[in-house]
Amino acid sequence: MPDATPDRATAREAIALLTGAAGFTEHRPPPSPLPPDGPLGWAGYDAARECASARTGEEESVVYGTGVVGDRACVLLSFEFGFLGGSLGRKTGDRLAAAYELALTRRLPLLALVATGGSRMQEGMVALTQLQRVAAASVRLRAAGLPQIAVVRDPTTGGGWATVGAGADVVLALPGAQVGFAGSRVRPPDADPYAYSAEGQFAAGQVDAVVPADELTATVTHWLRALGPHEELPAAPVPDALSAGGGEPGAGAGTGAGAGTGSAAGTGSGAGTPSAAGAEPTAGSVPAAPLPETGREAVARARDPRRPRAEAYLADYFAVRLPLHGDRSGSTDPGLLCGFGLRADGQPVAYVAQCGTPTRPAGYRAAARTIRLADRLGIPLLTLVDTPGAANDAEAERAGAGAAIADTFAAIAAARVPVTTLVIGEGGSGGALALAAPGNTHVTVDSYFSVIAPELAAAILKRPPSETGATADQLRLRPQDLVDLGFARSIVG
């Protein structure tokens, strides 16, 4: 790639950074000339376009065509910020619409390398309505089950951010890039600049990862492999149980190292295989580890801090993990991990995993986003259930806990792809059930699932604390009870 700061690279340099020696084949839409000085007759517009073309060597602010990133063919479109600030005019819209149509016709993923100041004021409403064209083209691509990935460069603002950028399935950002709907000249003078940065958008759950330029090709390649398009894929295998079981609750299970946040393309420590050499566990099968004898013991084992948590399970299950970050509504929940991953054999699986904390509304919204994306792309889903329940504080209520949980239930219920669930710890009421697959839920020996926590049930029934254990037994929440009741298909251990 020619010498250039990656976040201010030209359109073609940005493409070359990703395609390398594999090359890029440019496409152009049919000629469609503008009237003199554009649709508004803006004095000097033709001269400005000629200067921009002479300076950049481009005919418009977008270059598009086909290329190969890593080992994956895709349609690439790249903004040339040097051409009138990468702004969107009618001829830009022609190129964007043609790029989406090319992806649709060839059934290829769309990769957008965005650097734009927004709509082109010299073309007025004609320019602004190009956003509607882009949105319609994006919807058609979604309906066809084809993925859209955006890499937002510096700067990405205005309508280009609100359509090509933020409208993508996965949004990656270069470090330090200015990213936001309001450009630097139109935001309040006292506005916090961090809110308009790649890092600030990541913190607010609007960007999935901030990726250094030297890691971008590998990260995008992983995403293209994970998102497809794919032929019909098998269900996600049931993970191996990592709990040691037996003896002291949780003994020997000290590998669960908290929730973690994952990286843009984290590499897992090995890729575990399901029990019985990949065979699906059968209902009622005898687990290797001893089962809890009482409800109280089941709850104690699930709550043991030494028990492996979601991070350990995901690291064992995937060779590569690609996190999705945030709920796209301004919030994140570090206690819920979601994204896509590649197993050791290359099979893509989407995942949603609770980390043992009360799940917040942002977590449920992020989960629903992941479930629906996996369903649209035909990628099987794995959910790991582990929560004492949904967050029940006042802030959670104000953030829409009920609606977020309802939407997660609906996403699971509507999923056409196979969903596999493993309960790895606490199954706390509806906040846990929202992520459980009807008819394909499995449990570990260190887990329980209950309509309500035993302590709360005893309190509601006005029983003394000494009767909490008996209440836990009445609730029939042990792993073996869950199989007997028909809720769980098998005990994995």
Side-chain angles (χ1 to χ4, degrees), residues 137-149:
S138 176
V139 166
R140 289 192 291 272
L141 213 56
R142 287 172 178 267
L146 295 168
Q148 301 171 49
I149 301 171

Side-chain angles (χ1 to χ4, degrees), residues 142-147 169 227 324 327 329 338-340 350-352 361 363-383 403-419 434-435:
R142 287 172 178 267
L146 295 168
D169 299 318
L227 299 185
L324 291 174
D327 65 354
S329 297
C338 56
F340 289 74
Y351 65 87
V352 175
Y364 291 112
R365 286 191 288 266
R369 172 196 169 205
T370 304
I371 295 163
R372 291 194 171 103
L373 178 57
D375 190 53
R376 176 158 54 82
L377 299 180
I379 298 171
L381 175 69
L382 170 71
T383 66
I405 296 168
D407 194 44
T408 305
F409 269 116
I412 288 285
R416 296 157 297 179
V417 295
V419 182
L435 290 176

Side-chain angles (χ1 to χ4, degrees), residues 2 11 47 69 83 88 140 142-143 160 248 264 281 362 364 371 421 456 461 470:
V69 178
F83 192 103
L88 282 75
R140 289 192 291 272
R142 287 172 178 267
E248 183 180 351
Y364 291 112
I371 295 163
T421 296
L456 299 179
L461 295 171

Side-chain angles (χ1 to χ4, degrees), residues 179-202:
V179 181
F181 185 64
S184 59
R185 297 184 183 181
V186 298
R187 65 184 66 142
D190 59 347
D192 177 9
Y194 181 72
Y196 304 87
S197 68
E199 291 75 11
Q201 295 286 4
F202 176 79

